[in-house]
Amino acid sequence: MSHALRHEIGDVIKERYTIREVLGGGAFGTVYRVEEILGAHTLVLACKEMHVLDDPETGVSERADALRMFQEESFLLGTIRHPNIPSAHFESEKNTWLACPICGRTFRGTRQCPQHGSDLQVVRERYYLLMDFIEGDDLEVRLEKNGGKALTETPVLDWAIQVCDALRVVHAKGFSHRDIKPANIKIKRDTDQAMLIDFGLVKPSTVVGAYGTMPLTEGTRMGTLGYAPVSPQEQQHPDARTDILALGMTLFRLLTGLDPTDEAQLEIMRAKNPRSLVFSISAQTDALIQRAIKINPSDRHPNVAALRADLSAARYPIETTCPTCGFVQHSALPPDQNSKCERCERPLLVAAAPVSAPVSAPNAAPRPVTAPSKSALPKAPPPNPYWPRIEAIRAELSSASPSLVSRHDARIHEIEELRAKAARASGRYDGQCPCCRVVKLLGVAEKPTGDCPICRQQKLQLRRWELQHCAVCREGNLAPRAGGKLMPCPVCRRAALREDERRKFGLVADIWWVCPSCDAQWDELLGGQRAILQKVGDDPHGIGAKYRGQTLFVADWRKVAGRGSETLGCDHCGAQYDIVDGDKLALADAGGDPNGLGARLLGQSLTRAAWARLSRDLPSNAGTHGCGFCRAEFDYDTNEQTLTLVNPGQDPPDWAKQWLGAPVSLKTWYFKSAGKRSPNPGYVCPQCHTEFDIAANALRLVHTTQPALNPYIGTVLPAPDWHRRASGAPTEAEVSELGRELTQLQAQRAAERSQLQQSETKRREAMHDELRSLLKQSVLGGFIPIKRMATGNSAQWVNQPGRFVVLPLDNAAHAPVLPSEELRWEVSATKLTLPINPHGPPTSWDREQKGMLTVTTERIFFMAPGVRRLEVSLKKIEDVAVYPSQVKTQILEIVSSTFKQRTSFEIVDMPWTLVLDGALVELVMTPKDVAGLIRTLVERS
């Protein structure tokens, strides 16, 4: 796997673009949110960095392919200007960087990655693509926020039309996108505008091979499964129709919620059409999706323009022609009186003009007006007064039930989103820094590891030396001696004085001290207790001019010479060191000076540790411990447990320079080198420098670069809660509290929905009852015709157009209906008679034949097998009555002078079917309904 370079938050690219956030990335690049200061304004951009490192595991062809695709994307976006494509420009930067081939981070002053230990690689050029930063979610995130459910059709069609507009520009330049999917379509938060992004796989349509989901090289897969063509031929030769397939699968995903990247769901999508899964999808949208995702490219839309036309027709299905200019325009809703033509801006609907009499010519004879004959006027059917209300009820019943909106829905949705956000935040970045989410946090324990606290590359090496070892000869040891006479010359302070005996007559007359460097001479007095300066040669410090001829005690001459009263001498070379300023030693006499040290340091004062280092041929500023990697030197005090930096080494950090020469505790050194600001064990992010202290089983935030976490500095939370806080999600305790609130709200919402459901059910039942009543009144009023049809052969009438009543009168004798009359009802009945004609309701009827009672617009007749037909004209009917019988039936009595005796018919409730524009309505005609029908016909006759 190859890796790409990576910047850290706060880095500045080309001294212009400051990195504020890592938006994402992959094996071949990283995308950042950057800011550019332009005067008083701040410009926010998205910066995509692309440079494949020379990882040995990455093939040369793979690196070349990745860089070539980045250049093609840069070229395309740099030359396209379209409102649905982010504008972009390409920039590069030349310099020298040392980068880790594993994590992509760059380092200075080291040869290996501190985290992975890998050798750093040299990079001399970096490439950047700077684009408009789009505030908003992509459509995959929109689906996720919608709980994985399908999105509303209208905005999806609007976004798809905008994507087609963007693709038309891409295809016009001879390119194909090759990676259309919901994640590559972002919706601007402020304008709700669709933006087509991620042109990383774009190629000229003439280039063969490697569609978005196909491997570039063996073992490398790019793009997303499910949106790619199935045919190997199309995979190697994609064109504009391949993008149409991906866009069709994108629409399928958005409108059904099914995920084509899931192989099981992909099989469902290939086997079923979208409308069979979500019935609310319009038929036009369903048809265009099925066409766009055809396996054979020739069966799809030939180009994006054709697909856009179908999308526009589905989005705006109403076609209206302007009566003024003839321009045809489409809309989602029918035009009204306020609608105007998009071309001429005249009204789309013409108001009906009043009819006025023609104007006669002057002095013209008036035309005779003749009334048309009755035979010339067509007989129009009477209007059904019930029909407007019937249509209104049917429309309302066919529409979807009103959503069961609860006053708790918004809060429940908010809680569910917060809980889902918390789950994603705590489960996706295990062990990673919650601030940048790029690298894992590094643990900093309280116990030092012995690593160099500056570079942390190697263990510190212990230097061993002895303080009593002589630095001049490097063989003998120093031991205390009395001060003695010999001292550095007080005049020149360069060389030690030597004794010189002056003789007279072969005897020692006196003792003189002579400087071999400046030729100054002293006469020793009182047995060596005093001395007088007799002669001065070279006098660099003016001492000779001041003290010549003066007599001083030897101790005073030592003070003038800078010598102390205590002296250390070497038991091997005779070198002498004066103890001065407490613990320092001044080299008073180098003896034979076998190594030339006296020539350089005679008369100089150094600490005992410095002379000891020189005795081991080490620099005077060498520490007790040293790092072999960065060359830093430290003095370690075992009693105080401190480290003193005596030599910062190569390219030390600024904080280490500030501690030069100061004793600092081991723990402080170790925490500081790990990036910790506080002196407590914890964790540090090597990427964004976020810092935590360990507090029991939780973490206390010490420092962060994320503004969202700044208010929580000093707060103690468990590690998963810090990921939630950084993502703006609730903590675990808050999630528990939200869960309890959610349970209460869901119970309250369920009660509200149940109440609303019951209310809606009752409302619809009342509407159904009203509809049946109105339809029955329409039938009884003669506004809906009646047809005799056998219900056993329902295929003849179920799908017939129009509105009529089917009487289920199988295996019965039916009397013919005259051409001048209309059938109004027909029912199976038993004829009843009374031999006597008493007044009032009858008490006992004689049951006669069972037959068929028929009602027309002119007469009523009864017909039974083998019996003479009983018939009465509507004009001869005097009254109609209905009585209950003793056998739970109804008795319909028809009073007419035509009958010789009282005549009635025993009938029951009769179910019948109303065919209403292809739909079936089951109704029931009661004997009282029949009586009312007859009364109405009698009144009209």
Side-chain angles (χ1 to χ4, degrees), residues 12 19 70 217 393 398 414 421 470 611 690 741 756 883:
V12 180
I19 295 177
F70 183 77
T217 59
I393 295 176
S398 62
E414 180 184 1
K421 191 174 184 180
C470 178
W611 290 114
T690 296
E741 182 183 357
L756 290 173
Y883 306 110

Side-chain angles (χ1 to χ4, degrees), residues 372-678:
S373 63
K374 292 185 179 181
S375 61
L377 293 176
K379 184 179 180 181
N384 185 354
Y386 309 107
W387 194 249
R389 178 56 183 164
I390 291 174
E391 282 292 285
I393 295 176
R394 291 179 65 194
E396 190 169 355
L397 289 175
S398 62
S399 64
S401 298
S403 58
L404 301 178
V405 179
S406 169
R407 57 191 176 92
H408 304 299
D409 285 344
R411 178 57 180 165
I412 289 175
H413 180 69
E414 180 184 1
I415 293 176
E416 290 174 342
E417 283 193 342
L418 289 173
R419 286 162 57 90
K421 191 174 184 180
R424 292 192 301 268
S426 60
R428 192 179 300 174
Y429 306 105
D430 184 24
Q432 287 186 319
C433 171
C435 185
C436 65
R437 298 174 184 172
V438 175
V439 297
K440 289 190 175 183
L441 292 172
L442 297 179
V444 183
E446 187 171 4
K447 183 178 180 181
T449 62
D451 293 337
C452 172
I454 292 182
C455 68
R456 304 184 69 188
Q457 298 298 310
Q458 290 186 2
K459 299 286 185 182
L460 291 177
Q461 300 173 358
L462 174 64
R463 302 304 180 40
R464 294 186 180 276
W465 54 70
E466 297 176 359
L467 295 179
Q468 69 272 19
H469 207 58
C470 178
V472 176
C473 64
R474 301 175 186 172
E475 294 182 11
N477 294 319
L478 301 180
R481 288 187 180 182
K485 299 177 181 178
L486 298 183
M487 71 185 87
C489 175
V491 176
C492 66
R493 300 176 181 177
R494 290 192 296 265
L497 300 179
R498 69 172 185 269
E499 290 185 349
D500 189 9
E501 297 177 350
R502 290 194 300 175
R503 295 178 177 271
K504 291 183 178 181
F505 309 108
L507 300 174
V508 176
D510 54 7
I511 297 176
W512 287 73
W513 296 344
V514 180
C515 176
S517 176
C518 67
D519 199 26
Q521 296 181 7
W522 280 264
D523 186 7
E524 180 185 283
L525 302 176
L526 300 177
Q529 295 181 6
R530 296 183 183 182
I532 182 173
L533 179 59
Q534 298 286 6
K535 180 182 179 181
V536 176
D538 185 16
D539 190 9
H541 304 291
I543 299 297
K546 180 178 181 181
Y547 291 96
R548 184 175 182 178
Q550 293 190 24
T551 301
L552 301 176
F553 287 102
V554 174
D556 294 332
W557 284 118
R558 287 181 180 275
K559 292 180 180 179
V560 174
R563 295 289 299 269
S565 59
E566 297 182 19
T567 302
L568 298 177
C570 176
D571 60 7
H572 183 268
C573 67
Q576 295 188 26
Y577 302 82
D578 284 342
I579 301 175
V580 296
D581 298 334
D583 61 343
K584 288 187 178 181
L585 298 181
L587 181 60
D589 186 1
D593 197 14
N595 298 303
L597 182 69
R600 294 184 292 107
L601 301 177
L602 187 64
Q604 293 192 19
S605 299
L606 300 175
T607 63
R608 292 195 180 202
W611 290 114
R613 295 183 183 97
L614 293 174
S615 71
R616 295 302 182 188
D617 196 21
L618 294 173
S620 60
N621 62 347
T624 58
H625 292 74
C627 175
F629 187 83
C630 67
R631 307 302 180 187
E633 302 281 343
F634 298 88
D635 274 346
Y636 175 48
D637 189 329
T638 56
N639 294 326
E640 299 295 332
Q641 292 292 300
T642 60
L643 277 181
T644 302
L645 179 65
V646 295
N647 181 10
Q650 302 173 355
D651 194 18
D654 292 338
W655 60 267
K657 294 178 182 178
Q658 297 176 359
W659 289 358
L660 183 63
V664 180
S665 68
L666 274 175
K667 187 170 68 172
T668 303
W669 271 110
Y670 182 70
F671 285 167
K672 186 65 176 180
S673 66
K676 286 275 292 160
R677 289 169 173 78
S678 71

Side-chain angles (χ1 to χ4, degrees), residues 6-11 19 32 105-107 686-689:
R6 199 170 62 206
H7 279 288
E8 296 182 358
I9 296 175
D11 286 356
I19 295 177
Y32 312 96
R105 293 177 56 203
T106 57
F107 302 89
Q687 176 76 13
C688 66
H689 309 299

Side-chain angles (χ1 to χ4, degrees), residues 58-359:
T58 306
V60 176
S61 61
E62 184 177 357
R63 294 197 297 270
D65 278 341
L67 290 174
R68 176 182 50 75
M69 288 191 299
F70 183 77
Q71 292 168 353
E72 289 176 349
E73 178 182 13
S74 304
F75 169 78
L76 180 63
L77 290 178
T79 56
I80 285 182
R81 290 295 181 267
H82 190 273
N84 299 111
I85 297 176
S87 60
H89 66 277
F90 173 78
E91 291 193 19
S92 63
E93 184 177 15
K94 291 185 178 181
N95 205 329
T96 300
W97 296 272
L98 296 177
C100 172
I102 297 178
C103 64
R105 293 177 56 203
T106 57
F107 302 89
R108 291 187 301 171
T110 181
R111 305 185 194 94
Q112 294 179 331
C113 176
Q115 181 177 359
H116 302 97
S118 56
D119 292 335
L120 302 182
Q121 296 183 10
V122 178
V123 178
R124 303 191 184 278
E125 189 168 8
R126 301 175 82 160
Y127 308 97
Y128 305 98
L129 179 62
L130 290 116
M131 302 166 284
D132 293 337
F133 181 73
I134 303 171
E135 284 281 355
D137 298 328
D138 59 59
L139 289 179
E140 194 66 40
V141 174
R142 284 281 183 101
L143 278 172
E144 184 179 356
K145 288 185 176 180
N146 200 38
K149 300 177 183 178
L151 302 181
T152 307
E153 181 177 358
T154 299
V156 170
L157 293 178
D158 287 335
W159 297 329
I161 291 173
Q162 296 172 23
V163 172
C164 285
D165 292 338
L167 282 176
R168 288 173 66 180
V169 178
V170 176
H171 293 170
K173 286 185 172 289
F175 290 82
S176 56
H177 187 279
R178 306 192 182 200
D179 202 16
I180 304 292
K181 57 183 179 181
N184 286 340
I185 301 173
K186 293 195 75 173
I187 308 302
K188 280 189 173 182
R189 185 168 297 146
D190 53 348
T191 62
D192 207 42
Q193 182 180 5
M195 302 294 292
L196 183 60
I197 63 171
D198 198 353
F199 288 72
L201 300 181
V202 70
K203 292 182 182 178
S205 297
T206 55
V207 174
V208 175
Y211 186 76
T213 57
M214 295 299 106
L216 287 175
T217 59
E218 183 176 359
T220 302
R221 178 171 293 276
M222 303 186 65
T224 307
L225 177 68
Y227 299 92
V230 179
S231 167
Q233 177 68 17
E234 188 178 4
Q235 293 170 6
Q236 294 300 317
H237 300 275
D239 56 12
R241 295 172 298 179
T242 311
D243 285 344
I244 291 174
L245 167 66
L247 184 54
M249 293 301 293
T250 299
L251 289 172
F252 207 142
R253 166 108 174 94
L254 298 175
L255 294 177
T256 63
L258 293 179
D259 188 0
T261 61
D262 186 306
E263 293 184 357
Q265 297 187 36
L266 179 60
E267 291 299 323
I268 297 175
M269 298 172 75
R270 288 175 176 168
K272 296 186 177 182
N273 61 304
R275 199 161 189 257
S276 65
L277 301 170
V278 180
F279 185 74
S280 61
I281 299 175
S282 66
Q284 287 176 292
T285 302
D286 180 80
L288 70 88
I289 292 177
Q290 291 188 69
R291 182 181 179 186
I293 64 174
K294 292 290 187 183
I295 299 298
N296 189 349
S298 60
D299 295 335
R300 302 176 202 144
H301 300 82
N303 49 48
V304 175
L307 174 59
R308 189 192 188 283
D310 282 355
L311 287 168
S312 181
R315 176 65 179 87
Y316 306 101
I318 307 300
E319 181 179 292
T320 307
T321 303
C322 176
T324 303
C325 65
F327 178 73
V328 178
Q329 65 186 46
H330 295 82
S331 60
L333 299 174
D336 55 18
Q337 296 297 331
N338 297 323
S339 302
K340 293 184 178 181
C341 176
E342 295 177 358
R343 176 189 289 174
C344 66
E345 297 186 355
R346 299 289 183 86
L348 286 177
L349 298 181
V350 180
V355 179
S356 59
V359 180

Side-chain angles (χ1 to χ4, degrees), residues 5 7 11-14 16-25 29-36 43-50 70 73 87-93 126-134:
L5 289 170
H7 279 288
D11 286 356
V12 180
I13 300 174
K14 298 197 69 175
R16 293 174 57 189
Y17 309 107
T18 304
I19 295 177
R20 297 304 185 192
E21 182 182 5
V22 179
L23 300 177
T30 307
V31 183
Y32 312 96
R33 178 176 63 83
V34 301
E35 293 180 355
E36 180 183 12
L43 181 63
V44 181
L45 298 171
C47 177
K48 181 176 182 180
E49 180 182 16
M50 183 68 195
F70 183 77
E73 178 182 13
S87 60
H89 66 277
F90 173 78
E91 291 193 19
S92 63
E93 184 177 15
R126 301 175 82 160
Y127 308 97
Y128 305 98
L129 179 62
L130 290 116
M131 302 166 284
D132 293 337
F133 181 73
I134 303 171

Side-chain angles (χ1 to χ4, degrees), residues 817-829:
V817 179
L818 301 176
S820 62
E821 61 184 2
E822 297 178 8
L823 178 64
R824 299 307 301 273
W825 197 251
E826 206 162 34
V827 62
S828 178

